[in-house]
Amino acid sequence: LLIAAQAISLGEKELGQHYAKLGTGTGKAYAFIRGHVSAMEGDRFLHPDIQTVRRMVMDGSLNDAIS
């Protein structure tokens, strides 16, 4: 999920904000993830980001965000 969000962010940066039309659930998931984890602009330690997304999945908050 983290890598998918990064791919969307990179596509928007390189090809324009509307380079791909996201499905309703995908768009909600992307917005929710980006609300908690910023896009990677350079090298950084990813453990905190991975743990944040993991918590979203495990506690059901990601599911709630797309429902």
Side-chain angles (χ1 to χ4, degrees), residues 10-63:
L10 288 173
E12 289 177 344
K13 182 179 178 182
E14 297 297 320
L15 303 173
Q17 187 164 359
H18 300 290
Y19 87 100
K21 182 174 168 70
L22 301 177
T24 303
T26 304
K28 288 179 180 181
Y30 173 70
F32 188 73
I33 291 168
R34 281 293 172 244
H36 293 85
V37 178
S38 63
M40 293 170 262
E41 298 296 329
D43 290 341
R44 71 176 188 230
F45 188 61
L46 293 177
H47 185 261
D49 298 342
I50 294 167
Q51 289 303 102
T52 298
V53 174
R54 180 183 181 277
R55 268 192 305 280
M56 290 178 195
V57 171
M58 298 302 290
D59 70 10
S61 61
L62 179 61
N63 188 56

